[in-house]
């Protein structure tokens, strides 16, 4: 039986798009989810599921099945410095069934979520579909114009939602790109992999030493490492040569010194330009932006996926009833944006404080890094812990979106 005509067309099957499509289809609302790629596998996509996301999934009856997939659980993130170690985040005391972060490849998470959504006949996932433009009637967005395999197609919908990431095509063709505010944090990140042996015991951690900073994330069969550098300095590092970079990594992570030579060329290293952006307007008549399409997060704290999922839940809470009736107003879309505006601005401010007050100092070789005084006080460490776990406030599936 073919899917019903879309009341909602969601562009981008990332965390925001997949979660929102699941929630709407669960309510019997016809939803078409479009993904430009043929699979979900991307190199170095975020893969941290925080307590907020796990609690949301648990309320939907999904968490237990999801956590049967291979993943790593992290409660404490330790940072080693010349003056000692400190733990800026420790979730072990959090009063939650999920007092940890689950590290899981994003591809596995998205495959799981879309597989679960397929049980609902109102869900329609189309892979390999590229959006070319929007359909507009009398100033209202009524769907999208797409191409797939050279074939052109129009998809009409009562509501179009752009969840297509930091380089959002929907944001660009809608003109909402012009409302974007952009800040450039003082850092970029080099991501690369090193082999992980069965005998290894290295946990998630960071190290600050001599103006260098590196973060180590254990995976099932490898380590993912992030070498933090001042923005705009990659060219100098590259000119110094791969051998010098290998030596630096070995000095910072002596436990992995015997395998840095697996980095054969600069092609084994990916430069991620860290930025933080925020659209001043997320909606137009018939159109809404969510996730990275509306606000690009810095990697600090790994909160991007979780804020995208929260965006989706709030959108479902607000829009299920209007979508069911086929009458989605600009006021309905503005309520979603209003609900998510301050939590998003707050976490971006918080990330900026970490970047400018901690990371900038850590990357200055002239300064002997000192642990910030407020992180030495247990009572004050609870605040960043809760911010990491939930953001400004908890988000729950409620209203019509909570009923099935």
């Amino acid at each position: 039986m073919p899917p019903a005509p879309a009341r909602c067309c969601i562009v981008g099957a990332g965390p925001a798009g997949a979660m929102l499509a699941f929630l709407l289809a669960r309510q019997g609302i016809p939803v078409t989810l479009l993904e430009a790629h043929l699979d979900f596998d991307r190199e170095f996509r975020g893969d941290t599921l925080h307590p907020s996301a796990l609690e949301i999934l648990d309320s939907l009856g999904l968490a237990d099945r999801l956590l049967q997939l291979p993943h790593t659980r992290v409660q404490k993130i330790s940072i080693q410095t010349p003056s000692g170690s400190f733990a800026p985040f420790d979730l072990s005391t959090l009063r939650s069934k999920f007092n940890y972060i689950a590290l899981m490849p994003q591809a596995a998470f998205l495959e799981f979520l879309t597989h679960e959504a397929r049980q609902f006949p109102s869900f329609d996932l189309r892979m390999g579909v590229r959006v070319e433009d929007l359909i507009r009637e009398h100033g209202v967005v009524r769907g999208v114009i797409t191409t797939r395999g050279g074939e052109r197609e129009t998809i009409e919908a009562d509501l179009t939602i752009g969840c297509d990431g930091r380089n959002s095509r929907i944001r660009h063709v809608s003109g909402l790109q012009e409302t974007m505010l952009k800040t450039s944090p003082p850092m970029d990140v080099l991501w690369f992999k090193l082999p992980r042996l069965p005998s290894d015991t290295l946990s998630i951690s960071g190290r600050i030493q001599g103006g260098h900073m590196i973060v180590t994330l254990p995976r099932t069969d490898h380590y993912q490492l992030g070498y933090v550098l001042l923005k705009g300095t990659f060219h100098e590092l590259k000119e110094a040569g791969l051998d010098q970079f290998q030596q630096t990594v070995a000095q910072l992570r002596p436990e992995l010194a015997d395998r840095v030579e697996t980095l054969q060329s600069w092609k084994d290293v990916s430069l991620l330009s860290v930025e933080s952006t925020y659209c001043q307007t997320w909606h137009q008549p018939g159109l809404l932006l969510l996730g990275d399409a509306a606000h690009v997060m810095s990697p600090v704290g790994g909160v991007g996926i979780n804020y995208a999922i929260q965006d989706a839940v709030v959108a479902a809470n607000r829009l299920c009833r209007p979508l069911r009736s086929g009458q989605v107003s600009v006021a309905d879309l503005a309520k979603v944006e209003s609900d998510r505006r301050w939590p998003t601005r707050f976490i971006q401010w918080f990330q900026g404080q970490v970047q400018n007050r901690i990371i900038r100092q850590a990357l200055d070789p002239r300064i002997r890094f000192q642990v910030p005084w407020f992180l030495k006080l247990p009572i004050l460490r609870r605040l960043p812990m809760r911010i990491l776990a939930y953001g400004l406030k908890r988000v729950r599936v409620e209203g019509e979106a909570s009923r099935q």
Side-chain angles (χ1 to χ4, degrees), residues 190-256:
L190 292 180
W191 284 113
F192 57 97
K193 297 177 180 179
L194 292 179
R196 182 181 181 185
L197 305 179
S199 58
D200 286 346
T201 58
L202 192 60
S203 63
I204 184 171
S205 59
R207 177 163 291 177
I208 296 171
Q209 181 178 312
H212 301 282
M213 181 175 184
I214 197 166
V215 177
T216 306
L217 305 173
R219 298 293 184 263
T220 53
D221 61 350
H222 69 274
Y223 290 106
Q224 183 173 316
L225 291 96
Y227 178 81
V228 185
L229 66 161
L230 287 172
K231 185 169 285 294
T233 61
F234 175 61
H235 180 70
E236 298 173 17
L237 185 146
K238 194 173 181 180
E239 280 195 336
L242 186 62
D243 290 346
Q244 180 60 52
F245 179 64
Q246 291 174 339
Q247 292 176 25
T248 300
V249 173
Q251 291 168 0
L252 292 170
R253 291 264 64 133
E255 307 92 333
L256 304 178

Side-chain angles (χ1 to χ4, degrees), residues 376-392:
K376 298 178 180 179
L377 301 177
I379 192 169
L380 293 181
R381 285 208 303 266
R382 294 174 189 166
L383 180 60
M385 175 193 72
R386 292 196 65 82
I387 292 171
L388 182 73
Y390 299 113
L392 194 58

Side-chain angles (χ1 to χ4, degrees), residues 330-384:
V330 171
D332 294 323
L333 303 179
K335 286 177 182 177
V336 177
E337 179 179 339
S338 176
D339 286 350
R340 295 302 297 154
R341 178 185 294 117
W342 288 112
T344 300
R345 295 299 290 147
F346 173 78
I347 196 64
Q348 289 185 326
W349 171 84
F350 177 78
Q351 290 177 318
Q353 295 301 302
V354 173
Q355 289 161 176
N356 289 305
R357 296 180 180 274
I358 298 179
I359 295 177
R360 185 189 293 275
Q361 182 189 121
L363 297 179
D364 190 337
R366 300 167 301 177
I367 300 175
R368 179 178 173 81
F369 181 83
Q370 298 292 327
V371 178
W373 64 270
F374 57 87
L375 290 178
K376 298 178 180 179
L377 301 177
I379 192 169
L380 293 181
R381 285 208 303 266
R382 294 174 189 166
L383 180 60

Side-chain angles (χ1 to χ4, degrees), residues 12-149:
M19 175 58 74
L20 181 56
F22 172 87
L23 291 170
L24 296 181
R26 181 172 175 264
Q27 297 305 310
I29 297 170
V31 56
T32 297
L33 178 60
L34 308 179
E35 171 55 45
H37 298 87
L38 294 172
D39 58 46
F40 295 118
D41 194 14
R42 308 286 180 279
E43 193 76 356
F44 304 122
R45 292 181 83 167
D47 53 7
T48 54
L49 293 170
H50 292 211
S52 60
L54 293 171
E55 288 181 6
I56 288 168
L57 292 164
D58 193 46
S59 72
L60 298 168
L62 299 177
D64 289 343
R65 291 201 300 278
L66 175 69
L67 294 173
Q68 290 175 12
L69 300 176
H71 67 282
T72 304
R73 300 185 182 189
V74 174
Q75 287 187 316
K76 182 184 294 187
I77 301 172
S78 63
I79 306 293
Q80 299 169 328
T81 78
S83 58
S85 299
F86 70 102
F89 304 114
D90 184 355
L91 300 174
S92 61
T93 60
L94 191 69
R95 294 181 180 178
S96 171
K97 175 182 177 181
F98 306 101
N99 61 345
Y100 55 84
I101 294 170
L103 300 179
M104 177 182 294
Q106 192 176 130
F109 171 64
L110 295 176
E111 287 166 2
F112 169 85
L113 199 53
T114 52
H115 173 78
E116 292 294 323
R118 284 190 178 95
Q119 69 180 293
F120 306 115
S122 56
F123 176 75
D124 177 20
L125 172 63
R126 304 184 191 182
M127 305 292 287
V129 177
R130 175 179 170 80
V131 170
E132 302 296 340
D133 209 344
L134 298 171
I135 302 170
R136 292 187 187 268
E137 294 179 3
H138 308 295
V140 179
V141 175
R142 295 298 187 191
V144 293
I145 301 170
T146 71
T147 55
R148 176 166 59 172

Side-chain angles (χ1 to χ4, degrees), residues 14-17 19 290-292 295 297 303-313 340:
M19 175 58 74
L290 295 175
D292 278 358
H295 50 78
M297 297 292 190
V303 298
I305 292 178
N306 306 278
Y307 270 69
I309 289 173
Q310 289 179 4
D311 283 359
V313 170
R340 295 302 297 154

